[in-house]
Amino acid sequence: MRRIYLTTLFLVALLGISTGFAQDPVLSKQEAMKLALENNFGIKVARNQVEIAENNQSILNAGFLPTLTANAGATYNRDDIVVEFPGQFDENGQPRPDFELNKAEAQRFNTGITLDYTLFDGLGRLYNYKSLQEQYQLTELQARETIENTLLQLFSVYFEVARLTENVNVFNQALRISRDRITRAEYAFEYGQNTKLDILNAQVDVTNDSINLLNAKQQLANAKRDLNVVLNQNLNETFAVDTVVNFIPRLELDEFIATAKENNVALLQTEKNLKINEYDIKVSRSGYLPSIGLSGSYGWNLNQNPPSAFFPGTNNTTFNMNLGARLTWNLFDGGSTAIRVKNAKIAFENQDLLKKQIELEVDRDILNALNIYENRLAIYAIQEQNVITNENNFARSREQFQLGRITSIEFRQAQINLLNAQTNKNLAKYDAKLAELQLLQLTGQLLNIEL
């Protein structure tokens, strides 16, 4: 008995210490969204992918511009030459002497530029450029999908923090009521109105409520760390959250659902992929057409030659310019172009089938999400009414308990019923809001509404 009493005192003291800190600043939903959009690792990676796609869709990557190449070179050569004249005589009839040339240096320098430009390549560049633009827009849609999924993850954790925050308040209230029971039981025992058993029952209930409160606070601390991970900030960052939840009017939801096919990110991605496959067919067909190009070059050469046995040294300087045109037509490439065109058409057909499948799945997902949302909203309304009923029942039970007309066990049961009703209402509220957010994502409106 003494052990239970000491344990109760310890838990009460611990909870008193833990609730004595200053109030944490409130992290609003809008601020949480802002932090996630700025700091979340997944969103940063998605934005980098968009930047890569934007670079790729530039005209600098499409092959429309000419190529200009510069080149330069220099060579150096040194020779030591001995020329013999066997069987030859000079004018005096003497054998002709050998000719020696030491350190004969030759130098050559050249520089030039070459310009090459493709005037026509069967329209392959044009359709490839358009395909790159579609790929850029597809990457933007993929980044949007990443942002939407991250925000769903964010609010899933944010609302869990809010739910646990409200649960902590509920358990705090239950603990205060149980503490008050101990005080009343001790006074009643002193005046001989009840037995020691009532005090022990109250102490057991305080112990249980203290443990429930400690567990709820631990879960809340863990959930806050999970939220800090999503926000990419210090894991020990402390804050409070907004527990107010507003639901979108049904009429507005119906408008979102009616325009879901124009805004759903998965459907928009399938349309972009279909357009890319269409351009792939046209790029493949460009292999049937000729290629026409122009080329030009301009160069400068300097050759410095040493003297030889028969010729003096020379310096030759040359300037040259070259202009040309070319026509290339692959009349038959073994059938590879025809195969590429056929495969591109099959890929287009597959993408079209995939689009139809995703359309059907999105319709199903929206209907399921709407039914889940309506069901959870109805459960929340029932739980709200259940809390009111249990509050009235608890108030009556408290009056009857104070008058001695019901036992402490009956009073405790009324308290537990109220506690369960309050925590169930908290769960139903945030479950309904998450179901609404999932429905908004499917309709493509998650990023367009105020939470």
Side-chain angles (χ1 to χ4, degrees):
M1 205 172 355
R2 179 176 176 81
R3 184 177 181 182
I4 294 175
Y5 184 72
L6 291 176
T7 302
T8 302
L9 289 178
F10 171 74
L11 290 173
V12 170
L14 179 61
L15 291 169
I17 293 173
S18 63
T19 56
F21 294 111
Q23 185 69 28
D24 293 328
V26 176
L27 176 67
S28 67
K29 302 181 187 72
Q30 290 74 19
E31 186 178 354
M33 287 180 60
K34 180 175 178 292
L35 289 174
L37 292 174
E38 291 176 353
N39 301 329
N40 182 267
F41 288 118
I43 293 178
K44 286 184 176 181
V45 171
R47 284 177 173 159
N48 286 339
Q49 294 296 333
V50 171
E51 189 173 351
I52 292 173
E54 185 177 9
N55 293 335
N56 288 338
Q57 63 107 31
S58 168
I59 195 172
L60 299 176
N61 191 45
F64 277 108
L65 301 180
T67 60
L68 184 64
T69 306
N71 60 80
T75 59
Y76 171 80
N77 186 48
R78 170 180 165 173
D79 297 319
D80 293 323
I81 303 172
V82 176
V83 180
E84 297 180 349
F85 304 95
Q88 297 184 30
F89 301 92
D90 59 14
E91 56 187 11
N92 297 322
Q94 299 296 322
R96 186 173 179 177
D98 297 340
F99 176 81
E100 293 186 9
L101 181 62
N102 296 321
K103 298 181 180 179
E105 295 179 342
Q107 298 176 357
R108 295 178 178 85
F109 303 93
N110 66 84
T111 185
I113 57 173
T114 302
L115 177 69
D116 189 80
Y117 183 59
T118 300
L119 292 176
F120 180 75
D121 68 342
L123 300 178
R125 291 179 304 179
L126 175 63
Y127 294 124
N128 183 61
Y129 177 60
K130 291 183 176 181
S131 177
L132 290 173
Q133 291 178 317
E134 294 294 332
Q135 289 173 15
Y136 166 66
Q137 296 174 13
L138 174 62
T139 306
E140 283 188 318
L141 290 172
Q142 291 169 343
R144 172 186 153 187
E145 184 178 28
T146 298
I147 292 173
E148 289 181 354
N149 291 335
T150 302
L151 290 183
L152 274 181
Q153 179 190 10
L154 166 68
F155 285 111
S156 176
V157 181
Y158 186 94
F159 289 143
E160 179 66 5
V161 173
R163 182 184 74 85
L164 291 171
T165 298
E166 293 194 291
N167 282 357
V168 166
N169 294 333
V170 169
F171 289 128
N172 263 321
Q173 182 183 12
L175 181 59
R176 285 194 298 269
I177 294 171
S178 296
R179 289 175 183 171
D180 183 63
R181 271 183 58 205
I182 290 181
T183 302
R184 289 181 176 275
E186 288 175 345
Y187 282 139
F189 178 74
E190 290 178 4
Y191 290 99
Q193 295 178 357
N194 60 15
T195 65
K196 189 69 173 178
L197 182 61
D198 291 326
I199 298 177
L200 294 177
N201 286 335
Q203 290 173 351
V204 169
D205 292 339
V206 167
T207 300
N208 291 332
D209 291 342
S210 300
I211 292 172
N212 290 336
L213 181 56
L214 286 174
N215 288 335
K217 287 188 174 183
Q218 180 61 59
Q219 293 170 357
L220 177 59
N222 292 345
K224 286 185 177 181
R225 279 189 282 270
D226 291 339
L227 186 55
N228 283 329
V229 169
V230 179
L231 299 178
N232 185 21
Q233 61 182 9
N234 191 310
L235 294 180
N236 294 320
E237 190 76 25
T238 59
F239 51 84
V241 297
D242 182 9
T243 58
V244 176
V245 168
N246 297 313
F247 294 97
I248 295 176
R250 179 56 191 268
L251 183 62
E252 191 173 352
L253 277 179
D254 289 338
E255 293 177 357
F256 292 158
I257 293 172
T259 58
K261 288 189 176 180
E262 290 78 22
N263 297 306
N264 179 273
V265 69
L267 289 177
L268 293 176
Q269 288 183 63
T270 60
E271 292 176 0
K272 291 301 175 183
N273 281 320
L274 198 62
K275 196 68 176 178
I276 291 171
N277 286 123
E278 182 181 349
Y279 285 134
D280 287 343
I281 295 175
K282 294 179 179 180
V283 170
S284 299
R285 283 177 176 166
S286 68
Y288 291 130
L289 300 176
S291 174
I292 301 173
L294 297 175
S295 62
S297 63
Y298 181 82
W300 169 81
N301 294 275
L302 172 63
N303 293 330
Q304 295 177 338
N305 300 312
S308 66
F310 305 100
F311 301 100
T314 60
N315 290 335
N316 297 327
T317 302
T318 305
F319 298 90
N320 62 74
M321 183 176 65
N322 177 50
L323 297 175
R326 67 178 183 278
L327 171 66
T328 304
W329 198 342
N330 195 346
L331 298 178
F332 182 70
D333 61 357
S336 60
T337 298
I339 294 299
R340 286 196 299 271
V341 172
K342 289 180 180 179
N343 290 340
K345 288 181 178 179
I346 294 173
F348 178 83
E349 182 181 355
N350 286 340
Q351 188 61 44
D352 188 48
L353 293 173
L354 180 62
K355 178 184 176 182
K356 293 177 181 177
Q357 177 185 353
I358 292 179
E359 285 177 346
L360 187 62
E361 291 175 349
V362 168
D363 288 340
R364 176 206 63 193
D365 293 342
I366 289 177
L367 289 176
N368 289 345
L370 180 60
N371 287 337
I372 291 172
Y373 171 64
E374 290 175 338
N375 182 64
R376 291 183 178 178
L377 205 58
I379 291 174
Y380 175 51
I382 293 172
Q383 293 291 359
E384 278 189 313
Q385 184 58 47
N386 189 39
V387 168
I388 295 173
T389 301
N390 277 278
E391 284 176 344
N392 293 333
N393 178 63
F394 178 73
R396 286 289 190 92
S397 298
R398 173 180 276 182
E399 292 175 2
Q400 296 298 314
F401 177 68
Q402 291 174 351
L403 295 174
R405 295 176 183 175
I406 64 173
T407 65
S408 61
I409 295 176
E410 292 172 316
F411 175 73
R412 176 63 176 177
Q413 187 60 52
Q415 182 186 10
I416 291 175
N417 290 341
L418 175 59
L419 186 145
N420 290 337
Q422 290 171 329
T423 55
N424 289 337
K425 186 201 77 170
N426 294 339
L427 178 62
K429 178 172 69 171
Y430 296 112
D431 279 350
K433 188 59 182 179
L434 281 176
E436 181 188 79
L437 294 182
Q438 290 168 350
L439 179 59
L440 289 172
Q441 183 195 25
L442 289 170
T443 59
Q445 300 295 335
L446 183 60
L447 304 179
N448 302 326
I449 51 99
E450 292 287 339
L451 294 175

